[in-house]
């Protein structure tokens, strides 16, 4: 079993539990029998999907779990899915379908990240729902996603910070079988990940030609799912593992034949993308890169190394480990359940199709029924050795099959184009937002959305958790509390001169300078120390006048309706007094178009990004605003300027 633990080095797992909401017997033994029957019925019902499925690490499995503390008796399991995230979402689909087929059951699903269904729909969660209080609130019931809210009656806890236990949650579901449905946005976010099943299973497979030893061909014909164990053993190899591959004991290179192997796309990518050169002592040699069969030889060589590593970790299986579990009453009951669910599709017993389905059912039974219950279950390496000792190898038949192999499938899906990557990122960022085309953008785009969204963003009050980005423009007017702002500003800048004690001034000359400054300020109409609000406005006016004479002040765009008046009075302003100059500056500054300057600066920043990520696009896209491309921009003009 140590070899099996080596394969699961990652911590990516999904855990699922099924609870009885109704018809709960008081007797523990009766409850156990009922839940065991559910295991048989569920596995038999979904055997057509589960039997041929190729799992990355571990299969979907169910076992009975007795009552423990506040957790009632249930059936469930845990699956390590490794790098293939599709295994996790396939299990979510199965759980949803199980609760739809058996409405008296409610199911919870979590992974190593916690409530990953809520993570998937994070953009649409209610304000009160946080990781601290989300436990025992998310279920599949009657095939639909339910989120138990913080109720305001005695049926639930009043404090949203606290969690409810599983018994309280099941009582709420039982009392409100049609209630607590997740919002449409949350349900759609989850449904988007499981949409397409079960047809999606075929799309996740990839068939490829491989030159592998004949014994591996025989093993994969009997147990196609063992390909994942072979790939994982090669993918997770270490120098100690490769010592067993210096000279092969189980899979000799002289027996290689061409065959077609079915992988999942994840397994195929793991096997094909790793660069590896075999030890010269192993006997495996690759043809030239230009050889049409190079890829088949390389894949077969890597797969042979994986299976050799599996076998090298195991000793010969004992009689206890190899005894067949197919001669037990549990198998008999499972087989009868398969027949009731029309698993064999009316095929005559003994026919080729019947035998093929029966073989898949036996493998599925040993993986999903026997293995979770037995500590003596065979590891993948032990299964391979057992098959090597029992399966015959017909070299002549395998050589004849080479002429009738299905074609090698195109693996261009491994190459991700920039356009496809952009589409994937866009779908992940905003799966339900409609992104208009360039033509529609030009016809319908309204720049006022930019200013309204930025104003809404600035008006939000952030907390220690970060700034809250509005997804849609806020229609509420923007409020500004001047007194609060003044108080905060004074705290930052420190006390004013009027608050200084006499001990802070070293000489009487400083008192005189302070008095003279105050007198001058009063004469010029500057701040009055008794009125902090007037003081702040006066300071800002002085700053505006000073900035008006600089390049910064001149860079602002003024409103169109005042531009002609300002231009006509420009000549007259040259001969006016300094007081008239200040008045003209006030008029000009009062007419600065804030919205137009904001949009202009954002568009210039966006244009300078040249289609790449940058501050302008990141801020606007976070608020749901997609700027159109600058179709009027001429790159050649920039080159000529440079």
């Amino acid at each position: 079993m140590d070899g099996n633990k080596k394969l699961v080095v990652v911590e990516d797992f999904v855990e699922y539990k099924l609870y009885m909401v109704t018809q709960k017997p008081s007797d523990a033994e009766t409850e156990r029998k009922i839940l065991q029957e559910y295991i048989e019925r569920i596995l038999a019902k979904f055997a057509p999907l589960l039997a041929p499925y190729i799992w990355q690490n571990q299969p979907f499995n169910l076992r009975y779990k007795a009552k423990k503390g506040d957790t009632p008796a249930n059936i469930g399991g845990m699956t390590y899915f490794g790098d293939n995230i599709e295994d996790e979402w396939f299990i979510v689909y199965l759980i949803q379908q199980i609760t739809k087929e058996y409405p008296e059951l409610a199911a919870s699903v979590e992974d190593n990240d916690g409530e990953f269904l809520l993570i998937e729909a994070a953009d649409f969660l209610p304000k009160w729902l946080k990781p601290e209080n989300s436990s025992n609130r998310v279920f599949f019931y009657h095939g639909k996603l339910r989120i138990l809210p913080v109720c305001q009656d005695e049926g639930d806890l009043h404090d949203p910070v606290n969690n409810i236990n599983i018994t309280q949650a099941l009582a709420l579901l039982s009392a409100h079988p049609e209630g607590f449905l997740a919002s449409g946005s949350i349900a759609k976010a989850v449904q988007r990940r499981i949409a397409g099943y079960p047809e999606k299973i075929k799309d996740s497979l990839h068939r490829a030609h491989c030159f592998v030893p004949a014994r591996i061909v025989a093993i994969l014909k009997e147990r196609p799912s063992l390909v994942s164990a072979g790939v994982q053993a090669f993918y997770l190899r270490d120098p100690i593992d490769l010592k067993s591959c210096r000279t092969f004991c189980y899979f000799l290179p002289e027996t290689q034949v061409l065959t077609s192997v079915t992988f999942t796309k994840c397994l195929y990518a793991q096997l094909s993308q790793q660069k590896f050169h075999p030890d010269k002592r192993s006997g495996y040699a690759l043809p030239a890169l230009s050889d049409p069969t190079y890829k088949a030889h390389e894949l077969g060589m890597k797969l042979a190394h994986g299976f050799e590593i599996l076998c090298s970790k195991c000793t010969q299986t004992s009689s206890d480990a190899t005894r067949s579990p197919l001669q037990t009453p549990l198998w008999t009951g499972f087989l009868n359940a398969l027949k009731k669910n029309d698993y064999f599709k009316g095929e005559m017993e003994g026919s080729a199709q019947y035998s093929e389905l029966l073989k898949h059912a036996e493998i599925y039974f040993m993986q999903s029924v026997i293995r979770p219950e037995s500590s003596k279950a065979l590891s993948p390496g032990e299964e391979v050795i057992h098959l090597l000792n029992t399966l015959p190898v017909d070299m002549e038949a395998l050589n004849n099959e080479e002429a009738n192999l299905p074609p090698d499938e195109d693996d261009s899906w491994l190459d991700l184009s920039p356009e496809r990557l952009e589409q994937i990122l866009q779908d992940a960022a905003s799966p339900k937002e409609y992104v208009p085309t360039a033509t529609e953008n030009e016809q319908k785009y309204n720049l006022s959305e930019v200013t309204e969204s930025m104003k809404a963003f600035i008006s939000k009050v952030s907390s220690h958790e970060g700034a809250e980005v509005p997804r849609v423009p806020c229609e509420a007017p923007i409020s500004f509390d001047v007194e609060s702002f003044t108080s905060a500003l004074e705290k930052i800048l420190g006390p004013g001169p009027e608050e200084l004690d006499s001990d802070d001034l070293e000489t009487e000359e400083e008192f005189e300078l302070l008095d003279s400054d105050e007198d001058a300020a009063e004469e010029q109409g500057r701040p009055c120390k008794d009125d902090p609000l007037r003081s702040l406005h006066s300071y800002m006016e002085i700053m505006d006048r000073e900035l008006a004479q600089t390049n910064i002040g001149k860079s602002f765009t003024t409103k169109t309706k005042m531009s002609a008046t300002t231009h006509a009075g420009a000549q007259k302003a040259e001969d006016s007094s300094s007081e008239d100059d200040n008045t003209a500056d006030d008029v000009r500054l009062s007419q600065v178009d804030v919205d137009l300057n904001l949009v202009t600066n954002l568009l210039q920043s966006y244009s300078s990004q040249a289609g790449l990520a940058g501050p302008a696009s990141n801020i606007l896209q976070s608020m749901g605003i997609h700027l159109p491309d600058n179709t009027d921009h001429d790159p050649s003009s920039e080159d000529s300027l440079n």
Side-chain angles (χ1 to χ4, degrees), residues 275-287:
K275 294 183 178 180
F276 177 74
H277 299 283
D279 193 297
K280 294 182 178 179
R281 292 168 289 184
S282 67
Y284 282 90
L286 297 177

Side-chain angles (χ1 to χ4, degrees), residues 16 24 112 127 188 373 457 465 502 517 540 593 605 608:
Y16 34 91
K24 294 182 180 180
N112 49 294
K127 296 287 185 181
K188 288 179 181 178
E373 301 291 343
F457 174 69
E465 296 181 351
S502 59
D517 290 341
M540 295 179 66
D593 195 330
S605 176
S608 65

Side-chain angles (χ1 to χ4, degrees), residues 189-200:
V190 175
Q191 185 63 31
R192 182 177 62 91
R193 295 303 302 263
I194 61 177
Y197 285 109
E199 294 79 9
K200 195 175 179 179

